[in-house]
Amino acid sequence: MANQWIAGVDLGGTTTKIAFITMNGEIVYKWEITTDNSNEGQNITANIAKAIDEKLLQLGQAKENVIGIGMGAPGPVDYETGIILNVVNLGWKDNYPLKDSLELATSLPAVVENDANCAALGEMWKGAGNGAKNLVCVTLGTGVGGGVIANGQIIQGVNGAAGEIGHLTVIPEGGAPCNCGKTGCLETVASATGIVRLALKELNNDEVAGELHDIFLKNGKITAKDVFDTARNGDPLAKKVLADVTFHLGFVLANIGNTLNPEGIVLGGGVSKAGNILLDSVNESFAKFAFSAVKNSTKLALATLGNDAGVLGGAWLIKNKLNQ
Ligand SMILES: [Zn+2]
């Protein structure tokens, strides 16, 4: 058992991260390949199989050392059947049998899960969750993803769509349109895209000045990182945007905390790299809206695994399957 590896895969729209991981969750080797979306996504699983075989050959390891492949994919997944229900940017048609396709291509037992759920499992196993059996993870990236773990298992929901924290409504009337078709979702406010949108709205007022405004004039655009960086320097406009973002995020997390009272709520994804300026501000809003027993027991934390959360979560799926 000691030398056995699990292949953890984090499938993204442009790149696919792959890692060989031990049963204890140590990453032995990790690399990335380009995701080939052409031909209705027909090459995706074959390319992953090829990449694994080539890497094993390169490392002088036998295929028998790999006991399974666990994958996170960007879309709702029917956990029992391994069917990915719908994806926008991978070329697959709706209800694509991803698990079967992966098993056929790799000749390995496969488990497939939604990518935000995989990141949550990774953080639970080896990251900020520190083994907590009740944990909520929010991924703040281009969009906002979520994963809810109760008693050590991901909450799937009846259609694989549980934990879609990004699509909780925070602005019931007059909110911005979301990629999901609704308006006023958390994702329109707390994603990198949402933060930039809010900042641009402020910057388009005639009266504004300051560091963020200067960056906007110089570059013709701004990033979410610019907003955090200038807020850290005391720019009033950036601070106003940050307060708006974290008010809504803390509000949602408090309500989730009031529902589940998990040990922790972990903030991950690119936006979470802002660090303590984000965490402190979200904590303030969380404390305001959390039920007192929740406020005293549910801790907010920044994710610690970065880009490795997905592949580790994928590996955990196989480990969990073997232990059953
Ligand atoms: Zn939405």
Side-chain angles (χ1 to χ4, degrees):
M1 285 294 273
N3 293 327
Q4 286 183 322
W5 293 349
I6 303 168
V9 181
D10 184 1
L11 177 64
T14 49
T15 58
T16 302
K17 300 182 184 73
I18 310 174
F20 293 136
I21 295 165
T22 67
M23 292 295 277
N24 294 326
E26 307 305 325
I27 295 177
V28 183
Y29 201 91
K30 63 174 175 180
W31 74 105
E32 287 184 14
I33 60 169
T34 303
T35 307
D36 175 5
N37 301 332
S38 62
N39 284 331
E40 295 184 347
Q42 277 179 36
N43 305 325
I44 293 175
T45 53
N47 286 348
I48 291 167
K50 195 164 143 240
I52 289 173
D53 287 346
E54 282 174 1
K55 192 59 71 179
L56 286 169
L57 200 64
Q58 212 180 77
L59 298 172
Q61 296 289 327
K63 179 89 175 244
E64 290 70 44
N65 285 1
V66 182
I67 54 171
I69 179 165
M71 180 199 259
V77 173
D78 182 319
Y79 186 71
E80 297 298 323
T81 59
I83 288 173
I84 182 156
L85 302 171
N86 52 66
V87 272
V88 270
N89 53 9
L90 289 174
W92 291 325
K93 294 204 163 113
D94 284 356
N95 302 319
Y96 180 78
L98 180 54
K99 175 177 173 283
D100 289 351
S101 171
L102 200 57
E103 288 188 337
L104 199 65
T106 61
S107 312
L108 291 168
V111 183
V112 179
E113 180 53 279
N114 166 267
D115 54 359
N117 289 348
C118 256
L121 290 167
E123 287 291 340
M124 171 187 81
W125 190 24
K126 301 303 286 186
N130 206 15
K133 293 276 177 272
N134 294 283
L135 191 73
V136 173
C137 290
V138 188
T139 311
L140 308 166
T142 318
V144 173
V148 175
I149 299 167
N151 298 323
Q153 300 294 328
I154 281 284
I155 302 296
Q156 308 285 338
V158 72
N159 204 17
E164 286 289 352
I165 293 165
H167 303 290
L168 290 177
T169 303
V170 290
I171 303 177
E173 303 287 342
C178 182
N179 287 326
C180 74
K182 300 200 298 138
T183 58
C185 295
L186 179 66
E187 181 165 302
T188 68
V189 174
S191 63
T193 329
I195 294 167
V196 168
R197 185 186 62 79
L198 290 174
L200 286 177
K201 216 162 94 183
E202 296 290 335
L203 286 165
N204 282 325
N205 286 339
D206 292 338
E207 310 279 291
V208 296
E211 196 186 355
L212 187 62
H213 189 244
D214 292 345
I215 292 173
F216 180 53
L217 288 184
K218 186 168 154 242
N219 300 342
K221 58 173 188 177
I222 49 150
T223 64
K225 186 176 181 296
D226 293 332
V227 175
F228 288 111
D229 287 346
T230 53
R232 215 175 272 118
N233 294 340
D235 182 83
L237 189 146
K239 280 169 75 178
K240 188 177 170 202
V241 173
L242 175 66
D244 196 13
V245 168
T246 54
F247 173 86
H248 292 295
L249 186 54
F251 172 80
V252 160
L253 299 184
N255 285 325
I256 292 170
N258 292 349
T259 313
L260 299 166
N261 188 203
E263 285 154 85
I265 300 180
V266 176
L267 307 180
V271 171
S272 73
K273 289 188 186 138
N276 284 336
I277 192 168
L278 172 77
L279 185 63
D280 293 348
S281 193
V282 176
N283 255 324
E284 241 174 75
S285 168
F286 178 82
K288 191 169 167 188
F289 297 114
F291 180 63
S292 68
V294 171
K295 189 166 65 186
N296 297 333
S297 53
T298 295
K299 299 286 171 231
L300 268 53
L302 297 167
T304 60
L305 296 176
N307 286 335
D308 294 339
V311 290
L312 282 162
W316 184 91
L317 291 169
I318 289 292
K319 183 183 156 80
N320 182 53
K321 184 181 167 164
L322 294 175
N323 285 345
Q324 277 173 357

